[in-house]
Amino acid sequence: MASSSSIHARLALVALLSATTFYCIHKYRRLKRLKTLSLLNPSTRRGKIFFISQTGTSKSLAQRLHKLLESNGIAFDLVDPASYEPEDLPKETLAIFVASTWDGGKPPKDGEFLVDWLSESAEDFRVGSLLLSCCRFGVFGVGSRAYGDEYNAVAKELSRRMVGLGGAEMVPVGEGDVDDGELDRAFNEWCDGVIRVLKGGSAQAREANEITQNGVVESEDEYIDTTDEEEEEDSNDIVDLEDIAGKAPSRKNGVVKVTKRGDGKKEMVTPVIRASLTKQGYKIIGSHSGVKICRWTKSQLRGRGGCYKHSFYGIESHRCMETTPSLACANKCVFCWRHHTNPVGKSWQWKMDDPKEIVKGALDLHTKMIKQMKGVPGVTPEKLQEGLTPRHCALSLVGEPIMYPEINALVDELHGKRISTFLVTNAQFPEKILMMKPITQLYVSVDAATKESLKAIDRPLFADFWERFIDSLKALQEKQQRTVYRLTLVKGWNTEELEAYFNLFNIGKPDFIEIKGVTYCGSSATSKLTMENVPWHADVKAFSEALSLKSNGEYEVACEHAHSCCVLLGRTDKFKVDGKWFTWIDYEKFHDLVASGEPFTSRDYMAETPSWAVYGAEEGGFDPEQLRYKKERHHHPKPQAVVA
């Protein structure tokens, strides 16, 4: 009886194994037949180019590819995934994705549903691996290596899920870094591969007689995923970003070799970044610093007026040097006036130059640029001579100067030469703010007033960016010298957050609040701001007055500089004495106080504000001793100001 039961059990096992084997063979042959037929008999359905974009970069690249395909006689539709039904994807025979990776390695909002649908389908055993067996696809990722393991995570996930559902990958995943200056080059090379495959489709289809285990068609031009074999190959495919100007790494191993110096540290300014910044007018100092002459420096040299810092604080613009000891930044702000051509990072990881050499290099390069103004109409010998002896240093050119580990030593070097310091930080390094020695005026950029809008506008690298932001504001309370909140108003982004801005006042209790309209620097692949996002001076004034009213007299509107679309709020208990504003600085007194080594406060070096710089003055912040020069412009009528 027991023997009979054993026989029945064995027969059942044999039957199960036979059925499983038959199913696997049937599934393999069906996949092979469907794949080959789809290549031999391509559908008349037009291909699709999907752009998964947050700031418009991926959309712009997708549009460029669309035009390129059209010029080659290849029909494709440009598709916004937000308006696409993922259930239709199995009907597609050709699909191309240009995908950005956003916060936490996730896709932008418009592409969330499509990416989630693919992920869920690939994990659902009921769907199977044949769902997209008729579809050939390609993926190009847009991201930033500064985000580490999350670099182009969405593109890689799309590729993996498409293959898992039976899709045939035409070319390897392309990867573009928006920070290395070579995004266009990487994308163009990837597009060339796509065009070659699509143009050679018919010939390849006739040879499509073998299917790899993961469902990828083997052909001369198409990508074959043979990871195990590739791991045994030599390492000749390592890409040196320093030498090859940021070419995207090979899919074979994904390794990017970065040139390092003798001390094992890499240089911040690569040849690609150096070329880009030099083209924009920067003079590079050493391996991580820069200096550039400001248009207001040129303007005051010619007697045509100074910048808002001249009106607010008494700086002589023609004697001001704009520099930075760190071209790197921890944010990727939408209004970045350098369009993200500078490096990004969360900590100092580069070779470090000596602070004395940085100051010397900055002064040398700055004076050379000043000398080039000789002979320019309006530049007098007296002004030129003054300009050759800088008295102020704006540590706000680009990047995050406070990241530089020797920032205190650099400030000491400037103060030793009796050069005042105005330092701007992006509120992501609170511990650095606390350890700063006294400087003439310390700024914190307050680009938004809520966690959501700050994330959207500054696009910070830190996951705990909001906590760092708040701690940076708190750190200002510990400083005894002058402190400033700098607000940049961007219409449509942060101009409706008046109440939230006011709530931030009590956290840092700054001496001053600068409120400035965003400066339009042109569109780029990384920023899609337009002139519609630039507020009028009337808008900035209305916003400032509303904030002043909300403070119940703690802050009042002190100064304005109409030309720069900028307004200054000041603390009345410290800088309004007997009805007069004292927003200007006694620079000689400041240097004497620093040299004394004794504690001092912002009240000890304030000076009276001239009447022409006070808010509401007829001059609008323009120095009457300067010659006003107005360019002829043809703007649309100014709209009515709206209080936020």
Side-chain angles (χ1 to χ4, degrees), residues 470 473-477 485 499-510 513 550-552 554-555 571:
I470 295 298
L473 301 186
K474 290 177 180 177
L476 286 193
Q477 284 208 52
Y485 278 7
E499 183 72 31
Y501 272 118
F502 173 71
N503 292 335
L504 297 178
F505 284 12
N506 285 330
I507 297 177
K509 295 189 178 297
I513 300 166
K550 237 179 179 358
S551 74
N552 292 319
E554 184 179 4
Y555 290 90
R571 283 185 59 167

Side-chain angles (χ1 to χ4, degrees), residues 422-633:
F422 279 51
L423 186 147
V424 180
T425 174
N426 290 316
Q428 289 297 290
F429 297 94
E431 71 286 354
K432 297 281 189 180
I433 294 175
L434 289 170
M435 55 78 69
M436 279 297 304
K437 288 184 175 181
I439 59 174
T440 313
Q441 188 155 286
L442 176 63
Y443 287 79
V444 167
S445 292
V446 181
D447 300 327
T450 66
K451 184 176 181 178
E452 294 72 23
S453 56
L454 187 70
K455 179 179 178 180
I457 292 174
D458 278 5
R459 297 189 289 178
L461 301 185
F462 286 108
D464 59 341
F465 66 93
W466 183 250
E467 290 75 16
R468 288 175 170 272
F469 173 74
I470 295 298
D471 287 345
S472 294
L473 301 186
K474 290 177 180 177
L476 286 193
Q477 284 208 52
E478 304 297 320
K479 315 309 289 185
Q480 297 301 306
Q481 290 71 47
R482 294 163 67 109
T483 57
V484 184
Y485 278 7
R486 172 180 281 181
L487 277 59
T488 301
L489 297 186
V490 187
K491 249 185 180 179
W493 290 73
N494 61 6
T495 51
E496 305 300 320
E497 299 179 349
L498 190 139
E499 183 72 31
Y501 272 118
F502 173 71
N503 292 335
L504 297 178
F505 284 12
N506 285 330
I507 297 177
K509 295 189 178 297
D511 292 327
F512 301 101
I513 300 166
E514 285 182 10
I515 305 172
K516 188 179 188 300
V518 68
T519 300
Y520 177 64
C521 301
S523 296
S524 73
T526 51
S527 176
K528 293 305 172 186
L529 294 184
T530 69
M531 284 300 296
E532 295 297 320
N533 299 112
V534 179
W536 295 93
H537 186 52
D539 299 327
V540 176
K541 288 171 63 176
F543 189 91
S544 304
E545 290 169 0
L547 273 179
S548 174
L549 286 173
K550 237 179 179 358
S551 74
N552 292 319
E554 184 179 4
Y555 290 90
E556 289 182 6
V557 186
C559 306
E560 69 175 314
H561 191 251
H563 191 110
S564 298
C565 198
C566 191
V567 172
L568 180 71
L569 299 184
R571 283 185 59 167
T572 55
D573 62 336
K574 295 175 71 173
F575 300 98
K576 196 171 187 181
V577 182
D578 297 329
K580 294 183 178 180
W581 282 107
F582 283 73
T583 66
W584 275 37
I585 296 171
D586 185 335
Y587 294 99
E588 294 306 313
K589 182 70 176 296
F590 170 79
H591 292 304
D592 291 341
L593 289 167
V594 170
S596 73
E598 298 295 325
F600 64 97
T601 70
S602 55
R603 283 191 175 98
D604 295 327
Y605 58 101
M606 65 184 189
E608 187 176 347
T609 311
S611 60
W612 56 263
V614 173
Y615 187 70
E618 184 181 351
E619 294 85 352
F622 185 85
D623 188 341
E625 292 185 5
Q626 301 285 304
L627 177 65
R628 190 155 199 167
Y629 178 80
K630 291 186 177 181
K631 292 182 180 179
E632 188 175 334
R633 301 181 186 274

